[in-house]
Amino acid sequence: MEIGAALFLLALATRIFHLRQIAALDPYFLSPATDGVLYHAWAQEIARGDWLGQGVFIMGPLYPYLMGAFYSLAGPALALWKMFQAWLGAGSCMLVWWLAREAFDRRVALLAALGALFYEMLIFYGGTVMVVNIQVPLVLGLTLASLKCLRRGSFPRWFAVGIGLGLSALARQTALLYFPLLAGAIALAWGARAPRRPSPGQRAAFLAALTLGLALTLLPSALRNAAVAGDFVIAISTAGMILYM
């Protein structure tokens, strides 16, 4: 635990240093670009109380809604938002440590976490307004939780994994591709470490829990799209194009 905490603090210091540098040297530090322009404007509308918006979602809604909730508390301050993302980035490094330790050993975990800590693109993205800042910790947390559940699962744990998968899909809908792989792993009892492998009935219950958690997490988005745009779309209208790319 001490190593994980030390990695978190070192990762946080590295990311704060990066933010201080670009705040001092980049004249566009407070001016979002590309997707960030839409996310920033969308979050401000949410912060002003327009929670439903118009039309079917064209981008994953989780990031702008989280951003909008943050803006409603702290105001549309990009500098503070990027500081929050620095904490998320540091948390990602600690999740890499936990995940690699669960899958391999402490030595591999340390090397993997250090790789994530100093990986230039992860540091760079912390200074941008892009969904990757929540997508990375969500996917890491989902993978870690999935691995633990495959080794010793229960209905509540698989239900929580389903919620995590749903949140990942609301950040970027291609995360749904993980569902059939995970369902197959449950069916085969892959990686089980319990004294007895789960029975067929238990596996069916675990799959039902995963599906239920996923469905309940995606339901508000689907209902919102149906109510606002009159179209049944689970999350975003561009999912097919993104999958093709």
Side-chain angles (χ1 to χ4, degrees):
M1 186 63 185
E2 293 80 3
I3 296 177
L7 288 167
F8 175 84
L9 293 175
L10 181 56
L12 181 61
T14 302
R15 282 149 179 76
I16 290 176
F17 177 76
H18 167 70
L19 289 180
R20 288 177 61 88
Q21 289 295 299
I22 60 176
L25 302 174
D26 184 359
Y28 300 104
F29 176 71
L30 297 178
S31 300
T34 59
D35 290 353
V37 176
L38 178 57
Y39 285 133
H40 182 55
W42 190 353
Q44 290 183 82
E45 293 175 2
I46 294 170
R48 288 194 292 265
D50 184 9
W51 284 83
L52 290 179
Q54 299 178 353
V56 174
F57 291 135
I58 62 171
M59 302 174 76
L62 183 62
Y63 185 68
Y65 273 84
L66 178 62
M67 197 175 180
F70 184 91
Y71 281 3
S72 67
L73 297 174
L78 275 178
L80 289 177
W81 174 250
K82 291 180 179 181
M83 184 64 71
F84 172 69
Q85 291 184 158
W87 284 79
L88 291 178
S92 294
C93 295
M94 193 161 63
L95 284 171
V96 169
W97 154 259
W98 284 339
L99 176 58
R101 189 177 60 176
E102 181 73 22
F104 302 101
D105 55 39
R106 293 172 67 89
R107 181 184 62 177
V108 173
L110 180 59
L111 291 174
L114 288 173
L117 196 159
F118 294 112
Y119 181 47
E120 296 92 335
M121 290 308 299
L122 288 181
I123 297 173
F124 165 78
Y125 279 129
T128 67
V129 182
M130 297 183 69
V131 68
V132 67
N133 288 292
I134 63 168
Q135 181 190 9
V136 169
L138 279 172
V139 169
L140 287 169
L142 174 62
T143 307
L144 176 60
S146 301
L147 183 57
K148 286 182 174 291
C149 276
L150 285 169
R151 291 177 172 175
R152 189 180 292 273
S154 65
F155 191 95
R157 290 181 179 180
W158 277 115
F159 180 76
V161 171
I163 292 175
L165 178 55
L167 291 174
S168 298
L170 290 176
R172 183 161 285 169
Q173 198 168 359
T174 45
L176 289 174
L177 293 172
Y178 188 49
F179 177 77
L181 299 176
L182 198 53
I186 294 174
L188 297 173
W190 178 83
R193 286 186 176 179
R196 293 176 54 192
R197 290 167 64 85
S199 67
Q202 288 175 316
R203 296 178 210 174
F206 293 165
L207 182 56
L210 173 70
T211 305
L212 181 62
L214 173 62
L216 290 178
T217 306
L218 295 177
L219 183 61
S221 172
L223 291 177
R224 178 264 174 204
N225 285 333
V228 172
D231 195 2
F232 180 75
V233 177
I234 294 176
I236 60 174
S237 60
T238 53
M241 178 181 68
I242 293 172
L243 178 61
Y244 179 80
M245 290 191 294

